[in-house]
Amino acid sequence: MAATHGLAVFHLDPCRNRDAMHELLGQKIKGTICTDRYGVYEKVALQQRGLCWSHLKRDFAELAEQDGVTKQIGEQGLAICSAVFQVWGRFRDKQISRSILQDQVRGVRKRMNELLKRGRRCRFKRTAGFCAELLRLEPALWTFAQVPGIEPTNNHAERMLRPAVMWRKQSLGSHSIAGCRFVERIMTVLQTLSLRGRSVIDYLEQAVHALRHGLSPPSLLA
């Protein structure tokens, strides 16, 4: 699923692969997206990506549970994550401007670069590989400071997705094309109207009326 603060669009697919991504976002992806580091998104230009710091925080927490150098890298990474969330919180609450956000992020970015370069030289392969991978994607870690509308996490999309996940667990999912189309369409309607503070019942009533009278369906974005 993909979500902005005024629209949530769902697509059900048997696989979470590149074709499914393009089915949702189009063959030529426009704008900027914030995602996890799943390999499918590698085909999206790095300058169009933001990386989720909540996922990153969990990765550093896992490293912090190990021993030696890996533990140190994990703990320092968690401290950097906390610094990012702190400065973003101040920006989100309108306590600082975007220019101040960018100034404060520069220092945090320098700390992260130094940590990742040190971690890349670690003799533990998993830790070194993790740090090397983040260095390769490093510009996307800071997209939130540059691009209006992009946050440092994809938590908004995760919250939009949660009701669908719970529905699937309770119903064991859909096993027909028609069922999948219904779920993705009704979830798109429910979550988009919720984001816009509109009545679901009123919208569905208008949609049924339009169908029965051969009229165009009501707009979700009106």
Side-chain angles (χ1 to χ4, degrees):
M1 67 90 56
T4 67
H5 286 288
L7 179 66
V9 180
F10 289 74
H11 171 65
L12 269 65
D13 200 280
C15 301
R16 189 188 178 194
N17 57 19
R18 195 177 308 159
D19 290 340
M21 177 186 71
H22 287 303
E23 187 70 25
L24 176 65
L25 299 177
Q27 289 299 317
K28 183 175 177 57
I29 295 175
K30 301 178 181 179
T32 306
I33 59 176
C34 180
T35 70
D36 56 24
R37 302 192 306 278
Y38 189 56
V40 162
Y41 303 116
E42 289 289 331
K43 292 300 181 181
V44 181
L46 199 58
Q47 62 266 28
Q48 290 181 265
R49 294 181 62 188
L51 295 182
C52 176
W53 278 79
S54 289
H55 286 78
L56 190 59
K57 181 180 178 180
R58 290 195 289 269
D59 292 331
F60 278 123
E62 185 178 347
L63 294 182
E65 295 174 353
Q66 308 304 313
D67 298 319
V69 175
T70 297
K71 178 180 179 67
Q72 295 174 9
I73 291 172
E75 290 175 342
Q76 292 175 34
L78 287 174
I80 292 172
C81 289
S82 295
V84 166
F85 290 135
Q86 183 178 37
V87 69
W88 174 259
R90 294 177 62 205
F91 172 75
R92 181 195 58 214
D93 296 339
K94 300 185 181 344
Q95 296 177 8
I96 60 174
S97 65
R98 181 167 293 276
S99 62
I100 294 177
L101 168 70
Q102 293 169 348
D103 287 341
Q104 296 188 2
V105 159
R106 288 190 189 98
V108 182
R109 184 172 185 174
K110 181 179 178 181
R111 288 168 55 193
M112 176 64 93
N113 277 358
E114 292 172 350
L115 177 66
L116 295 178
K117 288 176 181 177
R118 179 155 53 88
R120 185 174 56 182
R121 298 190 298 269
C122 176
R123 63 187 179 89
F124 299 102
K125 289 184 178 181
R126 184 179 178 188
T127 305
F130 169 73
C131 292
E133 178 71 2
L134 278 185
L135 277 172
R136 184 177 66 83
L137 300 171
E138 189 268 349
L141 289 174
W142 314 101
T143 303
F144 70 89
Q146 304 296 328
V147 181
I150 295 296
E151 299 183 357
T153 74
N154 66 349
N155 291 349
H156 175 62
E158 298 279 0
R159 288 191 293 269
M160 292 292 100
L161 187 60
R162 190 169 297 122
V165 173
M166 297 304 298
W167 185 5
R168 182 182 63 185
K169 287 183 177 180
Q170 294 167 359
S171 68
L172 302 181
S174 298
H175 299 278
S176 69
I177 297 298
C180 289
R181 294 296 82 80
F182 172 76
V183 170
E184 63 189 22
R185 289 169 182 171
I186 198 66
M187 288 305 305
T188 295
V189 167
L190 292 174
Q191 294 297 63
T192 297
L193 293 179
S194 175
L195 287 171
R196 292 176 168 270
R198 293 174 57 192
S199 168
V200 174
I201 293 299
D202 287 350
Y203 178 86
L204 293 178
E205 180 182 5
Q206 294 167 20
V208 171
H209 177 84
L211 176 65
R212 290 180 172 177
H213 292 81
L215 304 175
S216 298
S219 171
L220 281 174
L221 307 181

